[in-house]
Amino acid sequence: MNKLTIIGNLTKDPELRTTTGGVSVCDFTVAVNRRKKIEGQPEADFFRVSAWRQLGENCAKFLGKGSKVSVVGPVSVRTYQSNEETRASLEVVAEDV
């Protein structure tokens, strides 16, 4: 079973959009602090989150930059090229926020 639970803070305001089929989707990024610190600064992992339909509309309405949030849902890894480097992005499809 692929189910992830994260607790962190939004890095910027959520973005609500509508697909060509008329379905609402809200995208936002959650920063999750790690326990260890490097030179006094906490390390963080960043997760891209997509919330669909009514859940997405509620996220756009009630969440903002810096909001503390808990997200539950399956996680996937997407790789992409940036400046000739292969990078990875962790993406979560929210089932519960």
Side-chain angles (χ1 to χ4, degrees):
M1 176 164 58
N2 179 3
K3 188 167 280 206
L4 174 76
T5 301
I6 58 173
I7 299 173
N9 297 83
L10 269 65
T11 61
K12 61 182 181 178
D13 288 333
E15 298 173 7
L16 182 65
R17 61 185 170 85
T18 305
T19 66
T20 55
V23 179
S24 298
V25 60
C26 182
D27 297 312
F28 53 94
T29 302
V30 177
V32 179
N33 288 333
R34 293 184 182 181
R35 290 182 186 220
K36 73 176 194 172
K37 296 181 179 183
I38 294 179
E39 300 174 14
Q41 294 294 325
E43 285 188 38
D45 294 309
F46 297 88
F47 296 84
R48 286 285 300 154
V49 179
S50 296
W52 292 81
R53 298 176 181 78
Q54 187 64 44
L55 180 60
E57 291 174 12
N58 287 339
C59 288
K61 183 176 180 182
F62 295 109
L63 298 178
K65 180 179 178 177
S67 295
K68 178 73 81 177
V69 66
S70 170
V71 178
V72 178
V75 65
S76 61
V77 177
R78 182 179 66 87
T79 58
Y80 60 96
Q81 292 292 112
S82 176
N83 298 330
E84 299 182 18
E85 291 183 27
T86 301
R87 296 184 174 237
S89 172
L90 297 171
E91 298 181 355
V92 180
V93 177
E95 293 175 349
D96 190 26
V97 177

